[in-house]
Amino acid sequence: MKTEEEAGSLINFTFRINNLWKPLVPPLSASLHIHWPRYNKDGKWLLYLVKVTSHGPDNIICSPQSEFHSLKNIWESSPSRTKRENVEKERKLGRKVAFLSSKNKVLSCERENKCVVLKCPLQGIDGTAVELRSRLWNSTFIEDYASFPTIALDVKASLVLSSPAQNIILKSPEVTVRVLVTPDSEVAQFGVPWWIILMAVLAGILILALMVFLLWKWGFFKRSKQDDSVPRHHAVRVKKETPGYVDGKVEPEVLEKKQWMTTWIDSDSFL
């Protein structure tokens, strides 16, 4: 991937904090915590966080900043291009609405996902907004969740209030934003394009043929001959002469010891 558009669909999250009570004064402080579903249980991308910006009287810097646009090899889109992409997507989807049923999959930080907590310290909590621009990682949903009609992706945000005084109890409000992801009918029906499957089969056959050729070239399929694998020997037997007899007794000088003559021919290699 070279551009963030190739990763997937654009999703913008905006969390706005409105204080209808008294303004916070030191030593009271507040921080916005966002539980961001980064990976699923297999370590595949779910939501790729591109940028975090703030709107309001104070400039908010969220951490850890290493989570923002962590894949440096992907180019970030310009604001004009992002706006044009939103308009084209609205025209394409129209008034399409997804409904969540019991057969659908829910992805949240409380379950099986690997999430990261983004912490945004707030100087003031009146009229402050934090916007997160992200990309839905389409390949993960096509590969792992194509069998579900709808996938619900939950992003939870909570306002953490803290005070050094032990006799003050502050309740931290929280909100969950649910994004319903519905696969495209064409992608869900056909899955991987047929030409990718054909190329994979041809590549497998080519690799197998190359391996067989190399094994044949190295003599793996060559059968060894019996004459080369079994040692050979030649024996010559000298015919024994019949001893002479004198008065029924064998003459001593006639007895002669005959030798066996043996020649061994060993092969250089044995199996």
Side-chain angles (χ1 to χ4, degrees), residues 25-38:
V25 293
L28 299 178
S29 62
S31 179
L32 178 64
H33 290 186
I34 302 173
H35 297 264
W36 189 259
R38 184 181 184 185

Side-chain angles (χ1 to χ4, degrees), residues 194-211:
W194 65 269
W195 61 270
I196 296 181
I197 300 177
L198 179 61
M199 292 297 293
V201 172
L202 294 178
I205 296 175
L206 182 61
I207 294 175
L208 180 60
L210 181 60
M211 293 176 60

Side-chain angles (χ1 to χ4, degrees), residues 75-199:
W75 297 345
E76 185 177 344
S77 301
S78 59
S80 60
R81 187 173 183 178
T82 302
K83 185 177 180 180
R84 183 172 63 254
E85 181 186 355
N86 288 334
V87 174
E88 293 177 355
K89 183 169 44 175
E90 290 177 359
R91 291 177 180 176
K92 182 178 179 181
L93 295 179
R95 295 178 177 269
K96 184 177 180 180
V97 180
F99 298 95
L100 189 64
S101 63
S102 59
K103 298 181 180 180
N104 297 315
K105 183 74 173 178
V106 178
L107 303 176
S108 63
C109 294
E110 286 77 10
R111 298 194 177 187
E112 54 191 18
N113 296 336
K114 298 178 181 179
C115 299
V116 60
V117 180
L118 304 175
K119 298 180 180 181
C120 305
L122 305 175
Q123 286 79 15
I125 59 173
D126 192 10
T128 302
V130 178
E131 182 178 353
L132 296 89
R133 197 180 88 186
S134 63
R135 291 282 174 176
L136 189 72
W137 208 264
N138 289 347
S139 60
T140 301
F141 290 88
I142 293 175
E143 294 172 1
D144 296 358
Y145 307 107
S147 59
F148 297 95
T150 303
I151 303 96
L153 188 62
D154 291 347
V155 178
K156 187 178 70 173
S158 59
L159 188 63
V160 179
L161 304 174
S162 60
S163 173
Q166 298 181 358
N167 57 348
I168 298 179
I169 300 176
L170 300 176
K171 183 180 179 181
S172 299
E174 62 180 28
V175 63
T176 300
V177 179
R178 171 162 291 182
V179 179
L180 299 182
V181 182
T182 56
D184 194 348
S185 58
E186 297 179 357
V187 177
Q189 180 178 359
F190 295 100
V192 182
W194 65 269
W195 61 270
I196 296 181
I197 300 177
L198 179 61
M199 292 297 293

